[in-house]
Amino acid sequence: MSKTHNKYLFKPTALAISLLLPLSAYADETQPAAQAKAVELETVNVISKRDNKNLIGRTYGYQATESNTATKTQIPLNQTARSVSVITRQQIEDQRPATISESLNYSAGAFTGLVGAATRYDYVAMRGFNENMTDNILVDGQKLLSDSNTYSSMQIDPYFIERVDMLKGPASAVYGRATPGGVVAATTKRPLHDSYHEINLFGGSREHLGVSFDLTDNLNESGNAAYRLTGLFKRSDSQNEGHKSQRFAIMPSVSWNITPDTHLLLQSYIQNDPDAGYHSGLPAEGMVYPKNGFTFPRSFSDSEPSDYFKRRQNLYSYQLTHQFNPNWQVQSKFRYAEVHTRNQQTWNVGWADDQNLARSGGKTVEHLRSYAGDNHIKGHFETGALKHELIAGVDYQQRKTTADAAYNFSSIPLLNVYQPVYSSSQPVFNDYASNQTYRLKQLGIYLQDQIRLGNWIVNGGLRHDRVDTTATDNNSGSVSKWKGGKTTWQTSALYAFENGISPYLSYSTGFNPNTYVDQSGNLLEPTTSRQWETGIKYQPAGTLDLYTLSVYDLRQDNVANRVINGNYYIPAGSIKSRGVELEAKSQITPNWFLQGALTYNHARFADNSGAEAELNGKTPYQAPKWMASLWTNYKFDTGLNVHAGVRHISGIWADHRNTVKLPSYTLVDLGVRYDLGRLVPSLQGLQTSISVNNLFNRRYVSSCAGIDYCYYGEGRNVLANVSYRW
């Protein structure tokens, strides 16, 4: 990265720190002084501020009671006839995930260990499905529009996120194209129209160092305009020797209540990743089981010192909301995003002999530009005894990715695993030149009606999409296209008993047009999916506790499997996934919180023919059969918070043909947070915390994407943080 870039990216941080120094210190609202101030406010305001019902405001504690991810309309979770998990800001701060996907570690139905300790992308598999796993992230209700067919996938740092909602199962009736496992919806931090400031200094294992700040306040005395400026710098070494990660990011935003009924939000997110860490896999023979007594150390790297991955991304958006009257509202959203990536990587392609790995390499320069707009109207009305909540809208998504690549499949030196010697010269990539342009356009029209009749809640949604995808070989001029329409729908029914028990039944369909090509360069047919889900939700009266039991039957057709060494895809019939999920969040006592999750998933291939017929009845790789987790937090009256968790994963196959099964693993996480202001009043607003992931440094293989590409999970990771809030 050039000195010019360094200078530019450090300016926001220096400005924020200079702003911090002269400001008067206000008491943190969690401190006694702030509590005393809160007593003077009207009771209704205090309750409204801290009950997590404002889906775009601050979240408090671990429990959320409402979400709009399943229907685009705000509804209590215990009245939502789909399985939805919510991760609040407090949970993110205590667990310290490196990526948005890692924030789902303690949620039912989500598997985040697809590439082990690598943190370059937000990989997440839901309900046994892992393809397009970087392209199912929503940010503020809109698809992030990453391209999982290339290296051009965007990533938002968890520090900029207020909450994460995970909707499980097909979501195309709401969001258009989507993979069958579900969507992960992140909500960014917004201006609060209230004074809040924080600065953090943190450091830990593997030379991890960083600083972050979060500043928000009113811009004028009337309070109808507010700003928020959030920034971050961090760096760390990778678990694999010779690699590191580095990130600069800043997110300014302005909120303006133009009139009492009209609100405008302007946001931008600018991120530069000069280094993005190690991202490769190693053979199962040597990781899952020894090869002639040899086992790869966790720090082993099959990449060259000259390898790199650099990413710059910019996102700019607006959200305009107008309330016509108490019952009708219109909202318009638009986002422009672009990402530039430069990547050079060497990777293993299997054992050449008993001591050496064979390797290949590639070099790419990519540029992705995308536009996403969503305009809808929603309203409440009644027809006799029926109470309706209607939403109707149209959205448009467009993405263009150019990928200029070259490869070396013949002259990368072998790597001796006992005495690795890396090359000091720059490899030549001239075996195969690839210059591709991928385009995707999608126009969707959707209508949904949620009807209440007494304790019954019935939902019906219908959406039609027109999609145009092309893959252009810029060297040969050949173009492969798919153009067509698809109608998807969902329906559900839930009965909310007065005692807090809510049984439900839902059916949903999905589709996802491919930008994947086969060996001849032709686009594969779009995948389609459908799911039945039934379950019971229970929220005891007068509490925020929520217990959810869900049972699902999910099927995807026209599945695409990647041939890794060939860098193309082949059709693989269908995948059937059936399972049971149990999730519970409970405030046992005012000071003790407990969260648990249990997942059973049985996924298998079906309807394959020809050479792939042997896959029928087999389980896809990276689809665990069992996942279980337990997380707890205890808050002492002295200002000390102790939190701990345990995670268990089992039943993962290394390959589609199920020839190697990975050992199960159990991980323990631990952390403490202390409010120093409770100990020394003059330190009011100062907090310190330590989080330890994989406390016992368990060595494990988290998953494999085939026999030659297995991934070690992250070893013990300690991160300490000191924050000052006022």
Side-chain angles (χ1 to χ4, degrees):
M1 185 177 65
S2 69
K3 294 181 180 179
T4 302
H5 283 147
N6 273 315
K7 181 179 179 181
Y8 172 76
L9 288 166
F10 270 114
K11 276 187 176 180
T13 306
L15 173 61
I17 294 173
S18 67
L19 289 172
L20 292 175
L21 297 178
L23 291 175
S24 300
Y26 294 93
D28 186 284
E29 63 187 344
T30 61
Q31 306 307 317
Q35 292 172 355
K37 182 179 179 180
V39 173
E40 299 174 6
L41 300 176
E42 294 181 12
T43 303
V44 65
N45 289 340
V46 175
I47 294 174
S48 174
K49 187 177 180 181
R50 300 187 66 88
D51 63 4
N52 286 348
K53 289 186 178 180
N54 183 357
L55 300 185
I56 59 174
R58 289 188 68 187
T59 57
Y60 297 88
Y62 283 90
Q63 295 171 297
T65 58
E66 303 195 2
S67 176
N68 61 3
T69 303
T71 61
K72 284 191 178 179
T73 59
Q74 184 168 342
I75 184 172
L77 288 169
N78 68 332
Q79 297 177 16
T80 303
R82 294 286 297 271
S83 182
V84 179
S85 299
V86 179
I87 296 89
T88 64
R89 182 66 211 168
Q90 188 62 65
Q91 185 170 339
I92 292 173
E93 289 183 1
D94 287 343
Q95 295 178 354
R96 298 287 176 181
T99 62
I100 289 177
S101 58
E102 284 186 9
S103 70
L104 305 172
N105 279 344
Y106 285 87
S107 299
F111 175 56
T112 64
L114 288 93
V115 287
T119 59
R120 185 179 298 178
Y121 302 119
D122 278 307
Y123 292 105
V124 57
M126 292 171 281
R127 292 189 166 175
F129 293 90
N130 60 46
E131 95 292 359
N132 288 314
M133 51 209 166
T134 63
D135 191 28
N136 249 27
I137 304 293
L138 304 174
V139 175
D140 296 330
Q142 292 183 282
K143 292 290 286 290
L144 194 55
L145 291 176
S146 294
D147 188 348
S148 57
N149 191 41
T150 66
Y151 294 102
S152 296
S153 289
M154 289 171 275
Q155 187 179 54
I156 309 296
D157 195 274
Y159 182 69
F160 298 85
I161 302 302
E162 187 65 40
R163 62 182 280 162
V164 178
D165 296 46
M166 179 175 62
L167 169 64
K168 286 158 269 189
S172 292
V174 182
Y175 300 106
R177 60 182 188 85
T179 60
V183 295
V184 177
T187 300
T188 57
K189 295 177 177 180
R190 314 287 183 87
L192 296 178
H193 291 268
D194 193 11
S195 180
Y196 176 81
H197 314 85
E198 76 171 34
I199 185 167
N200 301 276
L201 300 174
F202 51 90
S205 304
R206 295 189 287 278
E207 304 296 327
H208 195 150
L209 294 171
V211 59
S212 62
F213 60 88
D214 189 6
L215 315 171
T216 183
D217 207 340
N218 286 313
L219 281 170
N220 52 19
E221 292 184 0
S222 66
N224 70 330
Y227 78 93
R228 192 159 189 170
L229 181 65
T230 309
L232 167 77
F233 162 72
K234 65 180 181 181
R235 60 91 54 212
S236 67
D237 292 340
S238 293
Q239 179 168 273
N240 300 80
E241 190 173 350
H243 302 271
K244 63 180 180 179
S245 298
Q246 191 173 195
R247 171 167 294 168
F248 304 84
I250 191 165
M251 184 174 70
S253 57
V254 175
S255 173
W256 181 21
N257 295 320
I258 302 173
T259 72
D261 299 319
T262 306
H263 175 259
L264 175 66
L265 173 69
L266 300 174
Q267 286 182 302
S268 62
Y269 182 82
I270 301 168
Q271 180 174 298
N272 187 357
D273 297 335
D275 299 288
Y278 178 83
H279 193 279
S280 187
L282 296 167
E285 188 179 17
M287 289 189 72
V288 182
Y289 54 93
K291 179 178 177 62
N292 299 328
F294 172 81
T295 301
F296 290 103
R298 266 193 305 216
S299 60
F300 187 88
S301 172
D302 59 345
S303 301
E304 289 292 320
S306 57
D307 288 354
Y308 56 83
F309 182 90
K310 303 177 186 293
R311 173 174 53 199
R312 292 184 291 112
Q313 63 184 46
N314 303 316
L315 289 77
Y316 306 98
S317 65
Y318 80 78
Q319 296 183 33
L320 179 65
T321 304
H322 178 71
Q323 195 80 32
F324 292 108
N325 55 50
N327 293 326
W328 289 94
Q329 176 193 93
V330 64
Q331 185 177 70
S332 175
K333 296 181 179 181
F334 178 81
R335 177 189 295 131
Y336 169 78
E338 66 175 339
V339 56
H340 298 261
T341 60
R342 295 174 57 228
N343 176 51
Q344 179 176 304
Q345 185 171 345
T346 308
W347 59 86
N348 101 87
V349 291
W351 289 98
D353 52 46
D354 288 343
Q355 297 185 359
N356 294 286
L357 289 177
R359 296 186 298 164
S360 293
K363 184 176 183 178
T364 65
V365 177
E366 297 181 356
H367 181 209
L368 179 152
R369 287 188 295 179
S370 67
Y371 307 85
D374 184 8
N375 300 278
H376 63 253
I377 186 169
K378 66 174 69 173
H380 301 262
F381 62 94
E382 297 182 6
T383 56
L386 303 179
K387 297 180 180 180
H388 300 260
E389 184 170 6
L390 185 74
I391 180 170
V394 56
D395 71 15
Y396 179 74
Q397 303 173 27
Q398 176 179 319
R399 184 183 69 203
K400 177 183 177 182
T401 310
T402 58
D404 189 1
Y407 299 90
N408 185 329
F409 297 136
S410 58
S411 62
I412 300 291
L414 299 179
L415 186 65
N416 187 301
V417 299
Y418 293 96
Q419 295 180 324
V421 177
Y422 300 97
S423 175
S424 59
S425 60
Q426 181 74 19
V428 177
F429 301 99
N430 57 5
D431 284 347
Y432 173 69
S434 172
N435 191 312
Q436 303 282 336
T437 299
Y438 303 98
R439 290 181 173 89
L440 181 146
K441 297 179 182 179
Q442 175 183 300
L443 177 66
I445 302 173
Y446 57 92
L447 176 68
Q448 177 186 271
D449 192 9
Q450 186 163 275
I451 304 172
R452 293 177 181 264
L453 176 62
N455 289 5
W456 282 100
I457 303 173
V458 178
N459 183 285
L462 185 69
R463 177 176 171 127
H464 182 75
D465 285 282
R466 298 295 300 176
V467 180
D468 185 354
T469 60
T470 62
T472 303
D473 188 324
N474 297 318
N475 292 328
S476 66
S478 63
V479 179
S480 178
K481 297 183 179 181
W482 186 89
K483 187 175 184 179
K486 184 67 178 178
T487 299
T488 53
W489 59 285
Q490 66 177 18
T491 185
S492 65
L494 178 146
Y495 190 86
F497 287 97
E498 299 297 336
N499 61 5
I501 295 177
S502 302
Y504 70 90
L505 175 67
S506 69
Y507 179 79
S508 56
T509 65
F511 87 110
N512 197 26
N514 282 308
T515 54
Y516 298 149
V517 296
D518 61 18
Q519 193 171 10
S520 300
N522 298 316
L523 286 168
L524 298 181
E525 288 294 312
T527 64
T528 58
S529 57
R530 56 190 184 272
Q531 173 187 267
W532 284 99
E533 179 178 321
T534 186
I536 297 176
K537 299 188 177 186
Y538 175 50
Q539 183 172 351
T543 74
L544 302 180
D545 299 350
L546 184 63
Y547 306 87
T548 302
L549 173 66
S550 57
V551 180
Y552 60 88
D553 188 321
L554 173 58
R555 179 185 174 110
Q556 181 188 32
D557 297 317
N558 297 329
V559 175
N561 278 343
R562 185 182 183 189
V563 178
I564 298 178
N565 288 336
N567 201 32
Y568 61 89
Y569 291 78
I570 57 174
S574 303
I575 294 179
K576 297 179 180 180
S577 177
R578 295 175 178 174
V580 180
E581 295 168 356
L582 175 63
E583 189 168 281
K585 291 189 175 184
S586 178
Q587 194 71 44
I588 307 297
T589 70
N591 290 2
W592 183 22
F593 171 78
L594 189 66
Q595 172 181 330
L598 178 66
T599 302
Y600 168 79
N601 176 265
H602 179 49
R604 63 190 187 280
F605 286 105
D607 303 329
N608 278 280
S609 58
E612 300 299 312
E614 62 179 300
L615 293 180
N616 292 330
K618 306 293 186 181
T619 297
Y621 56 61
Q622 297 179 323
K625 189 173 186 178
W626 289 99
M627 296 186 290
S629 65
L630 189 66
W631 176 266
T632 187
N633 174 272
Y634 192 86
K635 179 173 61 178
F636 293 89
D637 294 334
T638 59
L640 176 67
N641 278 261
V642 177
H643 37 268
V646 59
R647 297 174 278 145
H648 176 80
I649 310 289
S650 64
I652 306 179
W653 290 97
D655 60 334
H656 288 328
R657 286 169 171 75
N658 296 176
T659 59
V660 177
K661 196 170 190 177
L662 305 188
S664 62
Y665 53 91
T666 301
L667 308 174
V668 176
D669 305 321
L670 180 67
V672 294
R673 175 165 41 92
Y674 195 81
D675 182 355
L676 296 175
R678 299 288 294 272
L679 180 66
V680 181
S682 62
L683 298 179
Q684 188 173 355
L686 192 64
Q687 294 187 5
T688 184
S689 66
I690 298 177
S691 59
V692 186
N693 292 328
N694 193 0
L695 176 66
F696 299 110
N697 202 26
R698 172 70 185 272
R699 178 171 166 168
Y700 65 101
V701 178
S702 63
S703 74
C704 299
I707 292 297
D708 289 328
Y709 300 94
C710 295
Y711 307 95
Y712 276 130
E714 185 179 42
R716 183 190 296 117
N717 186 6
V718 181
L719 185 64
N721 184 83
V722 177
S723 67
Y724 180 58
R725 301 176 177 179
W726 70 100

